[in-house]
């Protein structure tokens, strides 16, 4: 929807904006966890996203300090835990030999590390704690993406990502993200997109339609993977995601133009698939004595 509200750009009389193309850089950014939380707070943004940075990402950095003569591979993951295999590497003459050292479990919620070798568990926990406190540019990017997931919309303008269209209704939110990045020595570039140009209108329509189509496709793939062990709260989240996506499609009807009909059909098919899956799982559920 094109906005007539105040926007952070000087505009000629009568000019309407569809939104902005934005890109940011935080390469080389290295801040403490406390500094990241403070930057979010000062900008009026949700501080909890910093606390929710997955310990899994920090552990990937910690592994670089733990890889001396061992190979570390992720072998399993569920909603609560990531499991890694530590394989000891040694050289015997002209060949390398490999032996299982231990299995290590990382609690995704608390960041607690456990394994059968107390000394290695302690070392891994120390390295993880250090990596958790030191936030990288990649961490800041994940924070920005999580912020947009919760409060605004980003639609990629290129398949590789890194450059996005965001509707003008989110201009004030982008202001706050820009303020947060400035406090961390990062940068955001913003290119206004006026309404009424043939290529601009078409590009916005294509970007928004593609982004929403990806949401619908991800939802359908998740539903297709549901099985007998799928939890009830997972089914409820799937239904909520479907509802949220439907509201987005309705909210961006003006930008989508004729693409809205295609997305509506995809949403209807996704809802039907979820309903059939729920009925199927209910029919195969064991009876309660």
């Amino acid at each position: 929807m094109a906005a007539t509200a105040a926007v952070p750009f000087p505009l000629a009389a009568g000019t309407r904006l569809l939104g902005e193309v934005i890109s940011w850089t935080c390469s080389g950014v290295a801040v403490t966890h406390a500094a990241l939380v403070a930057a979010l707070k000062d900008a009026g943004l949700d501080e909890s996203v910093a606390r929710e940075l997955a310990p899994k990402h920090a552990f990937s950095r910690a592994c670089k300090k733990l890889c001396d003569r061992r190979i570390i591979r992720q072998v399993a993951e569920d909603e609560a835990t990531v499991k890694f295999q530590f394989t000891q590497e040694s050289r015997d003459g002209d060949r390398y030999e490999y032996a299982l050292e231990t299995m290590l479990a990382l609690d995704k919620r608390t960041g607690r590390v456990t394994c059968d070798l107390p000394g290695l568990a302690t070392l891994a926990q120390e390295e993880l704690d250090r990596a958790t406190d030191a936030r990288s540019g990649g961490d800041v990017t994940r924070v920005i993406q999580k912020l947009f997931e919760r409060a605004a919309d980003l639609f990629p303008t290129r398949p590789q990502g890194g450059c996005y269209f965001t509707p003008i209704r989110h201009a004030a939110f982008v202001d706050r993200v820009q303020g947060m990045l400035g406090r961390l020595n990062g940068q955001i570039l913003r290119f206004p997109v006026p309404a009424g140009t043939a290529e601009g209108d078409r590009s916005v329509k294509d970007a928004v339609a593609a982004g929403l189509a990806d949401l619908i496709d991800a939802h359908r793939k998740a539903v297709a993977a549901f099985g007998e062990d799928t939890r009830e709260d997972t089914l409820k989240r799937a239904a909520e995601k479907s509802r949220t996506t439907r509201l987005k499609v309705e909210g961006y009807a003006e930008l989508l133009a004729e693409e809205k009909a295609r997305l509506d059909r995809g949403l209807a098919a996704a809802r039907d698939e979820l309903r059939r899956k729920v009925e199927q799982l209910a029919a195969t559920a064991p009876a309660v004595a």
Side-chain angles (χ1 to χ4, degrees):
M1 179 183 300
T4 57
V7 294
F9 311 103
L11 300 175
T15 300
R16 297 185 305 140
L17 293 182
L18 297 176
E20 308 172 56
V21 172
I22 69 171
S23 182
W24 64 82
T25 177
C26 20
S27 59
V29 169
V31 297
T32 65
H33 177 76
L36 177 56
V37 170
L40 287 164
K41 182 177 181 180
D42 290 344
L45 295 167
D46 186 356
E47 304 161 45
S48 69
V49 294
R51 299 185 180 92
E52 292 174 10
L53 281 173
K56 177 181 173 182
H57 297 301
F59 191 72
S60 296
R61 296 199 298 275
C63 283
K64 296 177 182 178
K65 301 290 185 68
L66 301 171
C67 280
D68 182 33
R69 289 180 296 181
R70 67 167 60 94
I71 298 169
I72 303 173
R73 294 286 186 268
Q74 180 180 328
V75 295
E77 181 173 6
D78 58 28
E79 292 184 359
T81 306
V82 188
K83 293 184 179 179
F84 297 87
Q85 177 175 316
F86 281 44
T87 302
Q88 195 72 41
E89 179 184 66
S90 60
R91 184 168 181 172
D92 183 10
D94 60 354
R95 72 176 66 181
Y96 284 94
E97 295 183 349
Y98 301 88
L100 174 64
E101 183 177 16
T102 190
M103 303 297 291
L104 180 144
L106 169 66
D107 188 307
K108 293 161 65 173
R109 298 186 182 91
T110 65
R112 178 177 169 77
V113 169
T114 56
C115 77
D116 293 334
L117 301 178
L120 183 57
T122 299
L123 179 61
Q125 189 71 65
E126 290 173 350
E127 293 297 342
L128 174 59
D129 291 344
R130 275 192 285 269
T132 298
D133 187 59
R135 296 305 189 182
S136 67
D139 288 326
V140 175
T141 284
R142 281 187 282 273
V143 163
I144 294 171
Q145 291 169 337
K146 182 64 71 174
L147 288 167
F148 272 93
E149 284 176 19
R150 293 186 178 184
D153 291 306
L154 285 177
F155 299 104
T157 60
R158 57 195 295 270
Q160 299 86 352
C163 191
Y164 306 90
F165 172 77
T166 185
I168 195 60
R169 67 179 66 173
H170 302 311
F173 178 79
V174 179
D175 285 345
R176 296 200 298 273
V177 173
Q178 184 173 22
M180 183 268 288
L181 265 177
R183 291 171 172 83
L184 301 176
N185 295 319
Q187 182 184 33
I188 187 168
L189 302 176
R190 306 169 66 176
F191 304 89
V193 181
T197 67
E199 287 304 310
D201 290 356
R202 178 192 62 79
S203 297
V204 165
K205 178 189 67 177
D206 290 349
V208 174
L212 292 173
D214 285 345
L215 285 178
I216 296 170
D217 185 56
H219 172 66
R220 296 180 71 170
K221 287 179 178 177
V223 169
F226 289 166
E228 294 181 3
D229 59 344
T230 300
R231 296 158 51 117
E232 184 177 353
D233 59 345
T234 301
L235 296 173
K236 290 180 179 178
R237 283 197 300 271
E240 179 60 25
K241 286 181 180 178
S242 178
R243 187 185 75 84
T244 300
T245 304
R246 178 177 59 81
L247 292 175
K248 287 181 184 291
V249 171
E250 293 297 330
Y252 292 127
E254 181 181 347
L255 297 181
L256 291 167
E258 74 278 1
E259 288 292 320
K260 182 178 181 297
R262 179 176 64 86
L263 292 168
D264 284 338
R265 291 193 295 272
L267 274 170
R271 288 196 301 270
D272 289 343
E273 290 169 16
L274 178 58
R275 182 167 53 251
R276 285 194 296 270
K277 181 67 74 168
V278 171
E279 291 171 351
Q280 176 188 345
L281 294 175
T284 58
V288 179

